[in-house]
Amino acid sequence: MADLFSEGRKKRNKRMIYILRKTYEFEAAHWLPEVPEGHKCGKVHGHSYRIVIELSSNELDKGMVVDYKDISQCIKGPIIHVLDHQTLNDFIENPTAENICLYIAKTFKHDFRMNFYRPTHPWFKGRDRRITLRAVEVSETLKTNCRVEFMETL
């Protein structure tokens, strides 16, 4: 059983999976152009958004799936700094929580691949690294959120 928990083990472990979650926040306004006339969300309003990125792998490198700072690099620059205190309709045609999740996932995947999966990056060299974007969650309020689950390797 001790073999199961070997720190920094590079060999894939088919008996367990490591799941990382990192949470971020930003403020933004939006309106929903496709709701019926008179719907309160058809008017410009704002939210304190909370987003959660969830990654997984069944292998570790130096004791980690991925460094949290690398996740932040792919979220803060291309997503948080772009959307914070902006009108989401300028970036997403119909900014429902579901579409915001998809926008974040697409942007994150592209940036993560460009920064960490190029053949010149140390993580890429000499192995078939399997990190999966498992889910993106977007919360508009404490009571409303959307979670989109993916099972594709980054």
Side-chain angles (χ1 to χ4, degrees):
M1 190 71 163
D3 184 51
L4 182 65
F5 298 102
S6 297
E7 187 177 333
R9 186 179 176 133
K10 290 188 178 189
K11 190 174 179 182
R12 282 191 191 92
N13 189 330
K14 294 180 181 177
R15 295 180 284 175
M16 66 179 3
I17 189 164
Y18 303 95
I19 300 171
L20 293 181
R21 292 171 50 93
K22 185 122 168 103
T23 303
Y24 301 88
E25 295 175 344
F26 68 95
E27 312 290 326
H30 75 145
W31 73 91
L32 301 181
E34 297 183 21
V35 295
E37 190 174 328
H39 191 289
K40 69 179 183 176
C41 293
K43 295 181 180 182
V44 176
H45 60 286
H47 295 287
S48 295
Y49 287 93
R50 191 187 85 239
I51 62 174
V52 179
I53 299 292
E54 191 173 287
L55 302 175
S56 68
S57 181
N58 63 349
E59 74 174 295
L60 299 178
D61 182 46
K62 298 177 183 152
M64 297 183 281
V65 171
V66 65
D67 194 324
Y68 285 115
K69 77 172 181 55
D70 296 336
I71 298 171
S72 290
Q73 180 180 328
C74 297
I75 291 290
K76 288 183 177 177
I79 297 170
I80 301 297
H81 292 146
V82 170
L83 300 180
D84 191 38
H85 287 84
Q86 300 296 318
T87 303
L88 297 181
N89 299 70
D90 294 341
F91 304 94
I92 305 166
E93 188 174 322
N94 183 24
T96 61
E98 295 85 347
N99 287 335
I100 296 167
C101 280
L102 294 175
Y103 172 87
I104 290 169
K106 180 180 176 184
T107 305
F108 176 82
K109 285 189 295 187
H110 172 61
D111 206 66
F112 193 84
R113 287 175 179 152
M114 292 303 294
N115 285 295
F116 301 107
Y117 271 130
R118 288 186 289 174
T120 55
H121 193 278
W123 280 14
F124 190 88
K125 289 185 178 185
R127 72 161 172 231
D128 180 22
R129 182 115 168 105
R130 297 182 192 271
I131 297 173
T132 301
L133 174 61
R134 288 182 62 93
V136 173
E137 288 181 31
V138 170
S139 298
E140 293 181 335
T141 70
L142 293 174
K143 296 179 180 180
T144 61
N145 72 9
C146 175
R147 176 181 170 92
V148 178
E149 295 184 353
F150 309 91
M151 290 310 291
E152 62 184 85
T153 302
L154 290 170

mmCIF file of all heavy atoms in Angstrom, residues 117-144:
data_model
loop_
_atom_site.group_PDB
_atom_site.id
_atom_site.type_symbol
_atom_site.label_atom_id
_atom_site.label_comp_id
_atom_site.label_asym_id
_atom_site.label_seq_id
_atom_site.Cartn_x
_atom_site.Cartn_y
_atom_site.Cartn_z
ATOM 1 N N TYR A 117 2.645 23.279 -23.128
ATOM 2 C CA TYR A 117 2.686 22.036 -23.903
ATOM 3 C C TYR A 117 3.440 22.168 -25.207
ATOM 4 O O TYR A 117 3.318 21.337 -26.079
ATOM 5 C CB TYR A 117 1.283 21.494 -24.157
ATOM 6 C CG TYR A 117 0.846 20.580 -23.050
ATOM 7 C CD1 TYR A 117 -0.374 20.743 -22.425
ATOM 8 C CD2 TYR A 117 1.665 19.554 -22.612
ATOM 9 C CE1 TYR A 117 -0.764 19.918 -21.409
ATOM 10 C CE2 TYR A 117 1.284 18.718 -21.587
ATOM 11 C CZ TYR A 117 0.069 18.903 -20.999
ATOM 12 O OH TYR A 117 -0.312 18.081 -19.980
ATOM 13 N N ARG A 118 4.215 23.200 -25.333
ATOM 14 C CA ARG A 118 5.090 23.288 -26.497
ATOM 15 C C ARG A 118 6.260 22.334 -26.288
ATOM 16 O O ARG A 118 6.721 22.168 -25.159
ATOM 17 C CB ARG A 118 5.582 24.715 -26.687
ATOM 18 C CG ARG A 118 4.461 25.620 -27.199
ATOM 19 C CD ARG A 118 4.975 26.960 -27.525
ATOM 20 N NE ARG A 118 5.293 27.637 -26.272
ATOM 21 C CZ ARG A 118 5.881 28.797 -26.201
ATOM 22 N NH1 ARG A 118 6.261 29.422 -27.285
ATOM 23 N NH2 ARG A 118 6.125 29.360 -25.049
ATOM 24 N N PRO A 119 6.752 21.726 -27.336
ATOM 25 C CA PRO A 119 7.856 20.777 -27.180
ATOM 26 C C PRO A 119 9.093 21.358 -26.504
ATOM 27 O O PRO A 119 9.902 20.616 -25.961
ATOM 28 C CB PRO A 119 8.168 20.364 -28.617
ATOM 29 C CG PRO A 119 6.880 20.557 -29.342
ATOM 30 C CD PRO A 119 6.232 21.757 -28.686
ATOM 31 N N THR A 120 9.248 22.672 -26.480
ATOM 32 C CA THR A 120 10.413 23.282 -25.838
ATOM 33 C C THR A 120 10.235 23.432 -24.330
ATOM 34 O O THR A 120 11.187 23.727 -23.621
ATOM 35 C CB THR A 120 10.684 24.677 -26.444
ATOM 36 O OG1 THR A 120 9.503 25.469 -26.332
ATOM 37 C CG2 THR A 120 11.106 24.558 -27.896
ATOM 38 N N HIS A 121 9.029 23.249 -23.828
ATOM 39 C CA HIS A 121 8.794 23.414 -22.395
ATOM 40 C C HIS A 121 9.301 22.190 -21.636
ATOM 41 O O HIS A 121 9.119 21.059 -22.081
ATOM 42 C CB HIS A 121 7.303 23.623 -22.115
ATOM 43 C CG HIS A 121 7.049 24.106 -20.729
ATOM 44 N ND1 HIS A 121 7.003 23.254 -19.655
ATOM 45 C CD2 HIS A 121 6.876 25.351 -20.241
ATOM 46 C CE1 HIS A 121 6.795 23.959 -18.551
ATOM 47 N NE2 HIS A 121 6.702 25.232 -18.886
ATOM 48 N N PRO A 122 9.940 22.389 -20.470
ATOM 49 C CA PRO A 122 10.498 21.257 -19.707
ATOM 50 C C PRO A 122 9.479 20.172 -19.371
ATOM 51 O O PRO A 122 9.813 19.006 -19.304
ATOM 52 C CB PRO A 122 11.025 21.912 -18.423
ATOM 53 C CG PRO A 122 11.197 23.343 -18.754
ATOM 54 C CD PRO A 122 10.223 23.674 -19.844
ATOM 55 N N TRP A 123 8.220 20.535 -19.141
ATOM 56 C CA TRP A 123 7.223 19.525 -18.798
ATOM 57 C C TRP A 123 6.938 18.595 -19.965
ATOM 58 O O TRP A 123 6.491 17.489 -19.787
ATOM 59 C CB TRP A 123 5.923 20.198 -18.384
ATOM 60 C CG TRP A 123 5.933 20.700 -16.990
ATOM 61 C CD1 TRP A 123 7.009 20.861 -16.176
ATOM 62 C CD2 TRP A 123 4.810 21.106 -16.257
ATOM 63 N NE1 TRP A 123 6.626 21.357 -14.977
ATOM 64 C CE2 TRP A 123 5.267 21.523 -14.993
ATOM 65 C CE3 TRP A 123 3.460 21.175 -16.529
ATOM 66 C CZ2 TRP A 123 4.427 21.979 -14.020
ATOM 67 C CZ3 TRP A 123 2.618 21.645 -15.563
ATOM 68 C CH2 TRP A 123 3.104 22.039 -14.319
ATOM 69 N N PHE A 124 7.140 19.079 -21.162
ATOM 70 C CA PHE A 124 6.786 18.317 -22.350
ATOM 71 C C PHE A 124 7.856 17.286 -22.690
ATOM 72 O O PHE A 124 7.557 16.208 -23.176
ATOM 73 C CB PHE A 124 6.586 19.278 -23.526
ATOM 74 C CG PHE A 124 5.983 18.641 -24.740
ATOM 75 C CD1 PHE A 124 4.615 18.566 -24.890
ATOM 76 C CD2 PHE A 124 6.789 18.119 -25.737
ATOM 77 C CE1 PHE A 124 4.054 17.981 -26.001
ATOM 78 C CE2 PHE A 124 6.233 17.537 -26.864
ATOM 79 C CZ PHE A 124 4.868 17.465 -26.988
ATOM 80 N N LYS A 125 9.093 17.624 -22.432
ATOM 81 C CA LYS A 125 10.221 16.814 -22.891
ATOM 82 C C LYS A 125 10.217 15.414 -22.286
ATOM 83 O O LYS A 125 10.114 15.245 -21.083
ATOM 84 C CB LYS A 125 11.540 17.506 -22.576
ATOM 85 C CG LYS A 125 11.750 18.724 -23.440
ATOM 86 C CD LYS A 125 13.105 19.327 -23.219
ATOM 87 C CE LYS A 125 13.248 20.505 -24.164
ATOM 88 N NZ LYS A 125 14.538 21.092 -24.124
ATOM 89 N N GLY A 126 10.333 14.439 -23.170
ATOM 90 C CA GLY A 126 10.569 13.079 -22.751
ATOM 91 C C GLY A 126 9.405 12.337 -22.138
ATOM 92 O O GLY A 126 9.588 11.300 -21.546
ATOM 93 N N ARG A 127 8.191 12.833 -22.289
ATOM 94 C CA ARG A 127 7.088 12.054 -21.745
ATOM 95 C C ARG A 127 5.750 12.469 -22.335
ATOM 96 O O ARG A 127 5.598 13.524 -22.908
ATOM 97 C CB ARG A 127 7.042 12.174 -20.245
ATOM 98 C CG ARG A 127 6.581 13.507 -19.824
ATOM 99 C CD ARG A 127 6.123 13.429 -18.399
ATOM 100 N NE ARG A 127 5.900 14.798 -18.064
ATOM 101 C CZ ARG A 127 6.389 15.378 -17.021
ATOM 102 N NH1 ARG A 127 7.097 14.715 -16.185
ATOM 103 N NH2 ARG A 127 6.160 16.629 -16.803
ATOM 104 N N ASP A 128 4.840 11.606 -22.139
ATOM 105 C CA ASP A 128 3.469 11.817 -22.573
ATOM 106 C C ASP A 128 2.673 12.278 -21.358
ATOM 107 O O ASP A 128 2.089 11.485 -20.648
ATOM 108 C CB ASP A 128 2.931 10.496 -23.127
ATOM 109 C CG ASP A 128 1.500 10.615 -23.599
ATOM 110 O OD1 ASP A 128 1.064 11.738 -23.888
ATOM 111 O OD2 ASP A 128 0.825 9.588 -23.678
ATOM 112 N N ARG A 129 2.686 13.568 -21.087
ATOM 113 C CA ARG A 129 2.034 14.119 -19.895
ATOM 114 C C ARG A 129 0.537 14.206 -20.138
ATOM 115 O O ARG A 129 0.106 14.756 -21.141
ATOM 116 C CB ARG A 129 2.605 15.509 -19.619
ATOM 117 C CG ARG A 129 2.057 16.150 -18.397
ATOM 118 C CD ARG A 129 3.174 16.306 -17.388
ATOM 119 N NE ARG A 129 2.742 17.172 -16.318
ATOM 120 C CZ ARG A 129 2.413 16.701 -15.132
ATOM 121 N NH1 ARG A 129 2.483 15.433 -14.899
ATOM 122 N NH2 ARG A 129 2.032 17.522 -14.184
ATOM 123 N N ARG A 130 -0.250 13.724 -19.206
ATOM 124 C CA ARG A 130 -1.699 13.738 -19.354
ATOM 125 C C ARG A 130 -2.337 14.551 -18.233
ATOM 126 O O ARG A 130 -2.471 14.071 -17.119
ATOM 127 C CB ARG A 130 -2.255 12.325 -19.347
ATOM 128 C CG ARG A 130 -1.762 11.503 -20.499
ATOM 129 C CD ARG A 130 -2.385 10.130 -20.485
ATOM 130 N NE ARG A 130 -1.712 9.260 -21.404
ATOM 131 C CZ ARG A 130 -2.044 9.121 -22.681
ATOM 132 N NH1 ARG A 130 -3.040 9.806 -23.176
ATOM 133 N NH2 ARG A 130 -1.390 8.285 -23.453
ATOM 134 N N ILE A 131 -2.692 15.780 -18.574
ATOM 135 C CA ILE A 131 -3.422 16.643 -17.651
ATOM 136 C C ILE A 131 -4.767 16.911 -18.312
ATOM 137 O O ILE A 131 -4.841 17.229 -19.488
ATOM 138 C CB ILE A 131 -2.677 17.970 -17.397
ATOM 139 C CG1 ILE A 131 -1.334 17.683 -16.738
ATOM 140 C CG2 ILE A 131 -3.516 18.890 -16.523
ATOM 141 C CD1 ILE A 131 -0.465 18.905 -16.591
ATOM 142 N N THR A 132 -5.823 16.786 -17.538
ATOM 143 C CA THR A 132 -7.169 16.938 -18.069
ATOM 144 C C THR A 132 -7.840 18.169 -17.469
ATOM 145 O O THR A 132 -7.762 18.384 -16.261
ATOM 146 C CB THR A 132 -8.017 15.687 -17.728
ATOM 147 O OG1 THR A 132 -7.384 14.549 -18.294
ATOM 148 C CG2 THR A 132 -9.426 15.799 -18.269
ATOM 149 N N LEU A 133 -8.466 18.963 -18.320
ATOM 150 C CA LEU A 133 -9.350 20.024 -17.832
ATOM 151 C C LEU A 133 -10.657 19.316 -17.504
ATOM 152 O O LEU A 133 -11.370 18.867 -18.395
ATOM 153 C CB LEU A 133 -9.572 21.107 -18.885
ATOM 154 C CG LEU A 133 -10.585 22.183 -18.515
ATOM 155 C CD1 LEU A 133 -10.150 22.945 -17.263
ATOM 156 C CD2 LEU A 133 -10.807 23.137 -19.668
ATOM 157 N N ARG A 134 -10.955 19.157 -16.229
ATOM 158 C CA ARG A 134 -12.147 18.417 -15.807
ATOM 159 C C ARG A 134 -13.399 19.285 -15.817
ATOM 160 O O ARG A 134 -14.470 18.810 -16.179
ATOM 161 C CB ARG A 134 -11.962 17.852 -14.406
ATOM 162 C CG ARG A 134 -11.003 16.706 -14.360
ATOM 163 C CD ARG A 134 -10.891 16.155 -12.968
ATOM 164 N NE ARG A 134 -12.129 15.621 -12.443
ATOM 165 C CZ ARG A 134 -12.492 14.343 -12.533
ATOM 166 N NH1 ARG A 134 -11.741 13.489 -13.158
ATOM 167 N NH2 ARG A 134 -13.617 13.932 -11.988
ATOM 168 N N ALA A 135 -13.254 20.538 -15.343
ATOM 169 C CA ALA A 135 -14.454 21.359 -15.228
ATOM 170 C C ALA A 135 -14.107 22.828 -15.093
ATOM 171 O O ALA A 135 -13.014 23.192 -14.668
ATOM 172 C CB ALA A 135 -15.280 20.927 -14.010
ATOM 173 N N VAL A 136 -15.078 23.644 -15.477
ATOM 174 C CA VAL A 136 -15.053 25.085 -15.227
ATOM 175 C C VAL A 136 -16.388 25.418 -14.584
ATOM 176 O O VAL A 136 -17.440 25.007 -15.077
ATOM 177 C CB VAL A 136 -14.872 25.895 -16.522
ATOM 178 C CG1 VAL A 136 -15.016 27.388 -16.249
ATOM 179 C CG2 VAL A 136 -13.538 25.593 -17.176
ATOM 180 N N GLU A 137 -16.335 26.134 -13.468
ATOM 181 C CA GLU A 137 -17.547 26.592 -12.787
ATOM 182 C C GLU A 137 -17.587 28.103 -12.804
ATOM 183 O O GLU A 137 -16.556 28.754 -12.621
ATOM 184 C CB GLU A 137 -17.558 26.150 -11.316
ATOM 185 C CG GLU A 137 -17.793 24.704 -11.091
ATOM 186 C CD GLU A 137 -17.818 24.364 -9.605
ATOM 187 O OE1 GLU A 137 -18.223 25.226 -8.776
ATOM 188 O OE2 GLU A 137 -17.416 23.247 -9.270
ATOM 189 N N VAL A 138 -18.760 28.649 -12.994
ATOM 190 C CA VAL A 138 -18.977 30.093 -12.903
ATOM 191 C C VAL A 138 -20.143 30.331 -11.963
ATOM 192 O O VAL A 138 -21.226 29.763 -12.149
ATOM 193 C CB VAL A 138 -19.284 30.715 -14.293
ATOM 194 C CG1 VAL A 138 -19.735 32.155 -14.143
ATOM 195 C CG2 VAL A 138 -18.077 30.623 -15.202
ATOM 196 N N SER A 139 -19.916 31.153 -10.946
ATOM 197 C CA SER A 139 -20.986 31.543 -10.023
ATOM 198 C C SER A 139 -21.242 33.027 -10.196
ATOM 199 O O SER A 139 -20.317 33.839 -10.140
ATOM 200 C CB SER A 139 -20.578 31.265 -8.574
ATOM 201 O OG SER A 139 -20.361 29.897 -8.380
ATOM 202 N N GLU A 140 -22.504 33.356 -10.405
ATOM 203 C CA GLU A 140 -22.899 34.763 -10.497
ATOM 204 C C GLU A 140 -23.283 35.302 -9.122
ATOM 205 O O GLU A 140 -23.087 36.469 -8.831
ATOM 206 C CB GLU A 140 -24.075 34.916 -11.451
ATOM 207 C CG GLU A 140 -23.725 34.596 -12.882
ATOM 208 C CD GLU A 140 -24.889 34.778 -13.830
ATOM 209 O OE1 GLU A 140 -26.061 34.694 -13.406
ATOM 210 O OE2 GLU A 140 -24.629 35.033 -15.015
ATOM 211 N N THR A 141 -23.867 34.437 -8.317
ATOM 212 C CA THR A 141 -24.258 34.788 -6.953
ATOM 213 C C THR A 141 -23.953 33.587 -6.064
ATOM 214 O O THR A 141 -23.505 32.544 -6.550
ATOM 215 C CB THR A 141 -25.772 35.105 -6.846
ATOM 216 O OG1 THR A 141 -26.506 33.890 -7.023
ATOM 217 C CG2 THR A 141 -26.216 36.135 -7.884
ATOM 218 N N LEU A 142 -24.231 33.701 -4.778
ATOM 219 C CA LEU A 142 -24.030 32.564 -3.881
ATOM 220 C C LEU A 142 -24.991 31.417 -4.186
ATOM 221 O O LEU A 142 -24.725 30.270 -3.855
ATOM 222 C CB LEU A 142 -24.215 33.004 -2.419
ATOM 223 C CG LEU A 142 -23.165 33.968 -1.878
ATOM 224 C CD1 LEU A 142 -23.543 34.428 -0.473
ATOM 225 C CD2 LEU A 142 -21.799 33.305 -1.870
ATOM 226 N N LYS A 143 -26.105 31.731 -4.835
ATOM 227 C CA LYS A 143 -27.134 30.716 -5.088
ATOM 228 C C LYS A 143 -27.185 30.221 -6.527
ATOM 229 O O LYS A 143 -27.929 29.298 -6.825
ATOM 230 C CB LYS A 143 -28.507 31.287 -4.715
ATOM 231 C CG LYS A 143 -28.640 31.612 -3.246
ATOM 232 C CD LYS A 143 -30.007 32.188 -2.972
ATOM 233 C CE LYS A 143 -30.168 32.532 -1.511
ATOM 234 N NZ LYS A 143 -31.484 33.098 -1.220
ATOM 235 N N THR A 144 -26.444 30.869 -7.428
ATOM 236 C CA THR A 144 -26.524 30.473 -8.839
ATOM 237 C C THR A 144 -25.140 30.191 -9.401
ATOM 238 O O THR A 144 -24.236 31.008 -9.274
ATOM 239 C CB THR A 144 -27.191 31.569 -9.695
ATOM 240 O OG1 THR A 144 -26.410 32.761 -9.606
ATOM 241 C CG2 THR A 144 -28.609 31.848 -9.240
#
